[in-house]
Amino acid sequence: MNHCRSFIALATLLLIVGLLPANADPADPAKTRGISIPAAGIGDDYPVAALVGFVHAAKVGRVIVDWDCIGDTWGETDGRAVGQLVDGLALAGVEVAAMYRPRFTKSPNVPTQVTAKGYPADQLGSEICYSNEQSRTWGAAWGPAILALSPAWSEVILGSLSDRCQCRLCGERAIPTLTVPTAPMVQFVAQARQALQRYRPDAKLGLAGGCRAAYWEPVIAQIDLAHPAVIPCLELTPLQFVGPPLYLKTILGDKLGAYINRVTSEYGVTSDAQTLGKYDAQAAKSGVPYVLWSFQTPFLSDDYDPREVCEALGIDWNAVYGPLDQMMLDTEVYVAAPLVAVDEARPDLVTVKGSYAVVTGLRRDDPYYQAAEALAKHRGVQVTEVPLTDYEAFYQRLQQLRAEQVAVVARPAEIGPDLAGTLFMAAANMDHDPELDFTYGIITGATAEDALDMVRRTIEAERVNPAPRRAVCVGHVFDGMSNCFEAMETRAKEYQRMGMQAEAVGADDGARDWAQRKEAEIAKLNGATTLAFMGHGSGYTSCGLQAADLYRVHLNDAVIFDGACHANAVSALWTEQGPDKKLRLSNLPSQKSVALATIHAGAIGRVAGTGTSGFSLVMEAMNAVDSGVSMGEAFREGQNRGIRKAKLRSMVVCPYVEGELDPKKRGSRAQGMTHILASVLLYGDPAYIPYPGGLPNRRGATSAPAVATAGKALPQELKLVAGRNEYVMRGGNGVATMVIQYLAERSFAGAPYAAVSDNRGVRALLRFDLSQVSLPAGMAVKKATLRVYAEKPVATGEPGERLLGLHEVTQGWEPEVTWATMPKFAEAPLVTVPFERAVKWLDFDVTKQVNAWLKAPADNHGLMFKFATEGQQPFVSWNLANGMATDESTRPRLMIECQ
């Protein structure tokens, strides 16, 4: 995707040649303003009458009905409602087009794009392989299927096709997304047009794509209309916004269609209401038609205030409020009836440092109560009794306790999403910031004996403080996706580097030999002290393993991190069933719960979710536990990182009601994120510390059990010797990341590579920790060379010489650095290397810097990679492998020659 700097250059050229109309009369907004609507939401999330009312009130002249991943969204579409909308708008003079992208998010049934190793080329969606005839035929058939919904379509648009396939048919190639269409893509476009015109001879085919003339040259003969697309940003002026389409008009002529303004939050919010208003006004003035893709971001999400957007666009808020209110009805109902009421005028409460509470709703004669008594005795506190099913009273009691750690003892039947949501809201509302202020864990079991054993095992583990011994990482192949297998293998290698015995268990329940391998794979779990699950789940299963399998396993006081969906469901779970996507309550007998099975098997700590998603939050908790903190602090740190990443300002948790839509998929983005966060739970004593002092060589390890220091590295010790020394980056001894100008607030910590490009501003930062590298007396560093592996070279044209500079950084920075928090650096590069269209090692002489850093480690702020030609077109880029690269042989390294 081209970005703002290239648009600015184009617009400047247009001003010079006088293409931009300076004093044209403003056009009717209805002639230039358009919106796109997700097809799968029409009729359910977006009632037809409400959509029609909004389109008229907002003075919208064109509408695009969009199937982004048509392999999935077609089955979710109410075809009758779509037809009614298209017919109704067309009768009112509104132009209505369809747009689709031939891809899947799951279960592809034709060949899709893969890497050279056979993995999906894009984890966000599997686009078809354009070299495969079966795939092209499948993709082209959607045009006639869409036309069959209504005779009133103005055109069918292929949405932002990309080709990164490296299968046998395509050949091993490095193909950047959305630069110039490949020959197989052009062949598919021609085939799609033929399919359309066979069904309806006058049907038009459009294509959404880039803003460069070179993008359209290979395909212009195969399409009827071209739709350039742009991601808006604050630095793009209104004149520069309309510049590219006016420029392309001189090339494409009458084939230039509406400009697509991609305000979708998929790319992060890169504009504001006022800027959108200025773009709209300039488009009307210049006669440039455009489409807001998609309309729910500015009008129905938390990313924008819809009233501010309407005011900026000159839309009568009173006229559109009614239709928008019908589309936001789900949100309004949920906001009006939250799980618990939060008093906005409440005073800020401070948890009492180090305080601990045991809470239960059980009667004293209940067998499970023994677990509460045993834990309270061990921690030196009294049991606090409060009904867990009275959520308002439970919430208020948790607030009154002001404890820093809360252990809740409960029967499985009491534990569900609503209890999880109440705990979450209580912890988040001790003060007026959204982060959790106390941590909590739940003590339970399939039987009262299991719950009591969980407490007893925890007490014994604290007494003997056993060293971590054996980790088992379970990966899962499902729907043909192998990324969980890769995560499993990477995690197992990390545990091995941290001094643990580590085993990878690959569960592919769709493989023909799985039934034969299953028993042997399950046996590998016996004796594990750490378990990590990465894959699909349902409450009944986790990564292809069922509760019955896990009841036969013996775990050695293990801590478990289970990223599968519903992995912590213990007695009931809410699931979507049927084409209406309504919630249904599913009974989950205790003996069939994976979570309860692992507790019975010997787990004393378990982090997972009671609902869908939550994988990244579970992984955050895993990293914190490895660094030496308690289970509760690790859980809280994972939750708070999720809150910060989602930029949540306020939270509402609503009750799960049978027959209603899943709260995570209705209403605002903030509500959806809140429900995902609230569903993650810790089972176990929140005060228990599995690895006091942290695991050795752990990225982010710390010697003290405090979350505040969990991000500090424990560097690798290295004693230099005469001759050549190789110091490879392996997480704990260094960090490399990137910062991107057009994603100024986003951190890329933890990514397996750091890109560097002169397309606007993409820079890489790297720092080796040399504090534990020692140079014997009398020995000197003769030469130090930094080697980084550059792969996936991209050049969008003939760029000429482009020099990549290595600059010394002069200010400290953290791994979560962003463009907005980028440290200062020396303007003059230490050394430069020319860009090549090649995968290769880049060598930089850093002898002077390494000698200085060995003498004064505190002065080591690392290095920055930066092209001197930032902002020039055509752009170039490399991906630099970093310390998290899956292939360890490509990680950065210092080659230090001593004498």
Side-chain angles (χ1 to χ4, degrees):
M1 177 62 66
N2 295 306
H3 296 297
C4 296
R5 192 64 61 85
S6 59
F7 297 141
I8 292 171
L10 269 176
T12 302
L13 173 64
L14 293 173
L15 287 171
I16 293 173
V17 300
L19 290 175
L20 288 175
N23 298 302
D25 293 330
D28 182 352
K31 296 179 180 179
T32 56
R33 181 186 301 153
I35 61 170
S36 80
I37 303 169
I42 296 172
D44 188 359
D45 297 338
Y46 313 127
V48 171
L51 284 171
V52 172
F54 173 80
V55 166
H56 291 318
K59 298 181 180 179
V60 171
R62 61 184 40 79
V63 169
I64 292 178
V65 176
D66 182 30
W67 286 269
D68 185 34
C69 295
I70 198 163
D72 303 317
T73 52
W74 185 262
E76 301 170 0
T77 302
D78 183 342
R80 182 178 179 183
V82 171
Q84 290 175 344
L85 176 67
V86 177
D87 295 345
L89 291 177
L91 285 172
V94 178
E95 180 182 310
V96 190
M99 183 162 67
Y100 77 95
R101 189 166 178 180
R103 65 174 181 173
F104 309 79
T105 57
K106 56 187 178 182
S107 304
N109 54 24
V110 296
T112 54
Q113 295 178 26
V114 296
T115 65
K117 294 184 178 180
Y119 300 137
D122 186 350
Q123 299 299 337
L124 297 179
S126 299
E127 194 159 341
I128 63 172
C129 172
Y130 293 112
S131 296
N132 186 284
E133 175 61 29
Q134 179 189 2
S135 297
R136 290 199 306 271
T137 301
W138 177 90
W142 289 113
I146 291 171
L147 291 179
L149 297 179
S150 170
W153 296 108
S154 62
E155 68 174 311
V156 175
I157 304 169
L158 299 173
S160 298
L161 307 180
S162 64
D163 189 356
R164 291 179 290 174
C165 190
Q166 295 176 293
C167 72
R168 181 180 57 81
L169 289 174
C170 294
E172 294 190 14
R173 52 185 179 171
I175 304 173
T177 303
L178 295 179
T179 52
V180 177
T182 62
M185 282 174 60
V186 176
Q187 187 177 0
F188 168 72
V189 172
Q191 193 168 335
R193 189 184 193 191
Q194 292 169 3
L196 273 181
Q197 294 180 345
R198 279 196 301 267
Y199 183 86
R200 201 179 81 189
D202 64 337
K204 294 181 180 179
L205 179 74
L207 176 65
C211 285
R212 296 170 54 249
Y215 180 90
W216 297 103
E217 290 170 359
V219 292
I220 190 62
Q222 310 299 335
I223 62 175
D224 298 295
L225 289 167
H227 300 277
V230 60
I231 303 173
C233 59
L234 292 173
E235 66 181 78
L236 197 67
T237 69
L239 285 177
Q240 292 160 349
F241 174 73
V242 300
L246 287 173
Y247 166 71
L248 288 173
K249 181 74 172 177
T250 64
I251 298 169
L252 300 175
D254 292 340
K255 287 195 174 184
L256 179 66
Y259 200 29
I260 298 179
N261 184 3
R262 304 184 74 166
V263 294
T264 174
S265 57
E266 177 184 350
Y267 300 99
V269 177
T270 53
S271 188
D272 57 22
Q274 290 70 34
T275 303
L276 292 182
K278 293 175 182 177
Y279 292 167
D280 182 79
Q282 186 62 54
K285 183 177 181 179
S286 305
V288 173
Y290 79 98
V291 173
L292 284 170
W293 187 82
S294 61
F295 93 106
Q296 67 265 57
T297 298
F299 294 106
L300 294 174
S301 78
D302 284 354
D303 294 333
Y304 291 86
D305 183 327
R307 186 163 189 164
E308 289 183 5
V309 173
C310 288
E311 291 174 354
L313 296 177
I315 296 172
D316 183 352
W317 171 250
N318 292 326
V320 299
Y321 177 79
L324 285 178
D325 187 52
Q326 292 181 53
M327 289 183 271
M328 294 188 293
L329 184 61
D330 295 335
T331 302
E332 298 300 320
V333 170
Y334 272 58
V335 170
L339 188 64
V340 294
V342 179
D343 184 3
E344 293 299 329
R346 69 192 185 285
D348 278 2
L349 302 173
V350 179
T351 55
V352 178
K353 194 71 176 175
S355 59
Y356 188 97
V358 177
V359 175
T360 187
L362 301 170
R363 294 165 51 95
R364 291 175 181 266
D365 58 356
D366 191 298
Y368 279 84
Y369 196 90
Q370 297 177 52
E373 289 182 315
L375 186 57
K377 181 179 179 181
H378 176 61
R379 297 299 179 198
V381 298
Q382 298 294 317
V383 177
T384 299
E385 299 175 7
V386 59
L388 301 186
T389 53
D390 184 343
Y391 297 121
E392 190 70 46
F394 182 43
Y395 168 86
Q396 293 175 0
R397 190 69 184 101
L398 290 172
Q399 292 267 296
Q400 294 165 0
L401 286 173
R402 293 174 57 197
E404 189 178 27
Q405 297 169 316
V406 176
V408 180
V409 181
R411 284 176 166 271
E414 296 176 298
I415 304 169
D418 289 351
L419 179 68
T422 304
L423 284 163
F424 180 84
M425 289 298 285
N429 284 285
M430 296 292 289
D431 55 26
H432 284 74
D433 71 60
E435 296 187 12
L436 304 190
D437 301 293
F438 65 79
T439 187
Y440 49 89
I442 296 179
I443 306 295
T444 192
T447 65
E449 290 76 11
D450 281 354
L452 183 58
D453 283 347
M454 188 183 199
V455 173
R456 288 171 174 168
R457 289 194 303 269
T458 304
I459 295 170
E460 180 63 14
E462 286 190 344
R463 186 184 69 81
V464 301
N465 190 22
R469 293 178 297 282
R470 186 165 179 272
V472 177
C473 301
V474 183
H476 190 205
V477 171
F478 61 98
D479 290 340
M481 303 291 285
S482 60
N483 50 310
C484 292
F485 248 45
E486 296 175 39
M488 165 198 74
E489 293 168 346
T490 300
R491 189 70 200 183
K493 290 177 181 177
E494 286 187 21
Y495 277 128
Q496 289 170 354
R497 288 194 297 272
M498 292 185 278
M500 296 177 69
Q501 297 177 9
E503 186 129 33
V505 171
D508 185 351
D509 48 3
R512 292 180 179 179
D513 65 340
W514 173 240
Q516 290 75 32
R517 291 192 300 109
K518 185 175 181 180
E519 288 304 315
E521 296 296 321
I522 292 172
K524 295 176 182 178
L525 275 60
N526 284 310
T529 55
T530 301
L531 269 178
F533 288 87
M534 303 168 187
H536 184 58
S538 65
Y540 293 87
T541 63
S542 191
C543 294
L545 304 181
Q546 298 178 349
D549 302 322
L550 297 171
Y551 270 109
R552 297 184 278 111
V553 170
H554 171 69
L555 302 177
N556 199 345
D557 297 336
V559 292
I560 298 177
F561 305 92
D562 195 336
C565 293
H566 299 290
N568 261 356
V570 291
S571 61
L573 64 156
W574 296 100
T575 58
E576 289 182 357
Q577 295 181 1
D580 58 354
K581 301 297 178 183
K582 300 296 185 180
L583 281 180
R584 298 292 183 269
L585 178 62
S586 298
N587 182 39
L588 182 59
S590 294
Q591 69 271 21
K592 292 189 176 182
S593 164
V594 165
L596 294 180
T598 55
I599 292 172
H600 176 83
I604 57 178
R606 179 184 172 89
V607 180
T610 63
T612 56
S613 303
F615 178 85
S616 62
L617 303 174
V618 173
M619 295 304 106
E620 291 279 10
M622 177 193 296
N623 292 332
V625 164
D626 292 346
S627 69
V629 304
S630 69
M631 290 294 296
E633 287 303 300
F635 165 72
R636 179 167 66 171
E637 176 65 9
Q639 295 290 81
N640 286 344
R641 280 179 179 267
I643 291 168
R644 290 192 291 269
K645 286 180 180 179
K647 298 182 179 180
L648 297 184
R649 298 179 297 275
S650 61
M651 300 174 178
V652 175
V653 175
C654 308
Y656 279 60
V657 179
E658 186 165 2
E660 294 293 333
L661 283 173
D662 185 341
K664 293 184 292 300
K665 297 183 178 180
R666 66 192 297 182
S668 67
R669 178 189 62 85
Q671 282 182 258
M673 284 304 304
T674 303
H675 278 280
I676 290 172
L677 287 158
S679 74
V680 179
L681 282 177
L682 163 65
Y683 288 164
D685 183 355
Y688 174 61
I689 303 173
Y691 313 138
L695 294 174
N697 298 327
R698 172 62 194 153
R699 180 177 62 88
T702 175
S703 59
V707 165
T709 59
K712 304 300 181 183
L714 182 65
Q716 175 184 342
E717 185 176 354
L718 175 66
K719 295 181 180 180
L720 297 175
V721 297
R724 189 177 184 182
N725 300 263
E726 183 179 54
Y727 193 45
V728 181
M729 183 177 290
R730 293 189 176 92
N733 62 344
V735 62
T737 187
M738 58 185 163
V739 294
I740 299 180
Q741 184 178 10
Y742 52 85
L743 298 172
E745 302 295 333
R746 185 176 298 181
S747 166
F748 296 90
Y753 66 88
V756 60
S757 172
D758 57 2
N759 180 24
R760 248 184 99 197
V762 182
R763 302 172 183 174
L765 287 157
L766 174 147
R767 181 178 63 236
F768 275 93
D769 190 332
L770 302 182
S771 62
Q772 298 299 311
V773 177
S774 56
L775 185 66
M779 188 177 291
V781 173
K782 179 182 178 181
K783 186 176 182 179
T785 303
L786 170 64
R787 303 199 77 203
V788 293
Y789 190 69
E791 53 189 347
K792 294 191 176 179
V794 173
T796 58
E798 294 300 330
E801 185 177 63
R802 298 292 176 91
L803 296 178
L804 176 62
L806 183 69
H807 300 251
E808 186 167 7
V809 178
T810 58
Q811 185 181 26
W813 52 280
E814 296 299 322
E816 294 78 20
V817 65
T818 65
W819 183 275
T821 61
M822 182 170 44
K824 296 179 181 177
F825 60 94
E827 288 296 325
L830 301 171
V831 63
T832 61
V833 297
F835 171 81
E836 300 177 51
R837 284 191 178 95
V839 176
K840 60 181 297 186
W841 282 97
L842 307 180
D843 292 352
F844 302 88
D845 187 342
V846 289
T847 308
K848 179 179 177 181
Q849 284 67 40
V850 168
N851 270 309
W853 294 337
L854 288 174
K855 293 177 183 177
D859 294 337
N860 174 11
H861 301 306
L863 302 159
M864 174 182 286
F865 298 91
K866 171 183 174 292
F867 276 105
T869 49
E870 285 183 346
Q872 293 189 19
Q873 293 293 322
F875 71 84
V876 300
S877 69
W878 261 321
N879 283 359
L880 307 181
N882 67 16
M884 300 299 293
T886 303
D887 185 351
E888 294 189 29
S889 67
T890 66
R891 294 182 179 183
R893 57 207 61 215
L894 284 174
M895 312 304 295
I896 305 174
E897 297 181 24
C898 298
Q899 63 180 11

